[in-house]
Amino acid sequence: GDSVTQMEGPVTLSEEAFLTINCTYTATGYPSLFWYVQYPGEGLQLLLKATKADDKGSNKGFEATYRKETTSFHLEKGSVQVSDSAVYFCALLWASGSRLTFGEGTQLTVNP
Amino acid sequence: GAVVSQHPSWVICKSGTSVKIECRSLDFQATTMFWYRQFPKQSLMLMATSNEGSKATYEQGVEKDKFLINHASLTLSTLTVTSAHPEDSSFYICSAETSLSYNEQFFGPGTRLTVL
């Protein structure tokens, strides 16, 4: 079945450091891919998405490119801020009305 | 736009009582709503999918009689945890989909349930 694998956390960085959180997926075909962010005690917020191969999603300085050759959707940011501290979830979706399949989540802590 | 609310945001109850959690889409009509459960430091686990006016579809291993889902309108779904026990303590999150936004679910802020 479908699955999403994220790099293990937690990840701790200093402010202005470069961030990469790896995400790979296993699926037959080409689902839509998402990154969600969850701040402490809150629900999930959509960070960015890509619906087809080679698409790049971007938002708030974060980027991720849908790579079908490597079945990956790695999240990157050039310069993280303390306010980026949160849990990040990679997910895939086949179609409206169907289930989101989430990765395990990666805890990011950014220190001043 | 596309705001989803949940009520209550947290609840503490005694073992054996029932708790109802509401999920509302505030500014759109939700064709489908989803209920997730999240344990501390873990990912989200889908419990059930519901469409307005029809019975919810539960994931394998989720007890239908324990987690009652009612989707009475296009803007409201409720999850009732019946005869709650301490092991039901968790963070419950709903999400909603609209036909106007392709392949995107909008999440509520979550409800923290603690059963004593």
Side-chain angles (χ1 to χ4, degrees):
Chain A
D2 300 341
S3 65
V4 176
T5 303
Q6 290 180 232
M7 66 183 288
E8 288 188 19
V11 175
T12 302
L13 296 173
S14 297
E15 204 164 23
E16 299 184 2
F18 184 85
L19 168 71
T20 299
I21 301 178
N22 289 338
C23 170
T24 57
Y25 68 91
T26 302
T28 304
Y30 306 109
S32 295
L33 300 174
F34 302 80
W35 277 101
Y36 285 90
V37 58
Q38 184 178 34
Y39 297 101
E42 298 184 12
L44 271 63
Q45 299 176 27
L46 177 65
L47 183 58
L48 53 84
K49 67 178 180 180
T51 57
K52 60 182 187 297
D54 299 325
D55 268 1
K56 176 186 283 188
S58 60
N59 186 26
K60 300 180 181 178
F62 290 90
E63 291 183 343
T65 301
Y66 190 159
R67 304 280 188 202
K68 67 176 182 179
E69 319 80 45
T70 53
T71 60
S72 65
F73 194 54
H74 305 321
L75 182 67
E76 296 182 337
K77 186 174 185 181
S79 177
V80 293
Q81 305 300 311
V82 173
S83 57
D84 294 326
S85 298
V87 180
Y88 292 81
F89 290 95
C90 186
L92 69 81
L93 179 71
W94 281 108
S96 295
S98 66
R99 60 185 299 168
L100 274 165
T101 299
F102 286 94
E104 305 87 348
T106 302
Q107 172 76 55
L108 170 66
T109 300
V110 181
N111 294 318
Chain B
V3 177
V4 177
S5 70
Q6 282 184 240
H7 177 80
S9 55
W10 60 270
V11 56
I12 301 173
C13 69
K14 293 182 179 179
S15 186
T17 61
S18 294
V19 175
K20 180 185 284 188
I21 301 170
E22 291 185 350
C23 175
R24 291 182 185 274
S25 57
L26 297 185
D27 50 2
F28 66 97
Q29 293 186 328
T31 49
T32 307
M33 286 184 165
F34 304 84
W35 285 96
Y36 296 85
R37 183 174 181 177
Q38 185 181 32
F39 291 104
K41 299 187 185 300
Q42 293 189 27
S43 190
L44 280 73
M45 181 191 78
L46 180 66
M47 299 175 67
T49 303
S50 74
N51 295 291
E52 183 261 343
S54 59
K55 290 184 178 181
T57 301
Y58 289 81
E59 295 298 301
Q60 191 172 7
V62 177
E63 299 177 58
K64 302 178 184 182
D65 295 333
K66 182 164 187 63
F67 298 100
L68 301 178
I69 291 173
N70 184 284
H71 194 156
S73 75
L74 284 171
T75 59
L76 173 64
S77 177
T78 60
L79 167 68
T80 302
V81 183
T82 62
S83 187
H85 292 284
E87 56 267 28
D88 298 324
S89 299
S90 190
F91 195 50
Y92 292 88
I93 304 175
C94 72
S95 70
E97 223 176 47
T98 167
S99 58
L100 300 177
S101 181
Y102 177 71
N103 270 7
E104 184 169 347
Q105 294 182 21
F106 302 95
F107 284 81
T111 297
R112 173 76 58 194
L113 170 63
T114 302
V115 184
L116 302 177

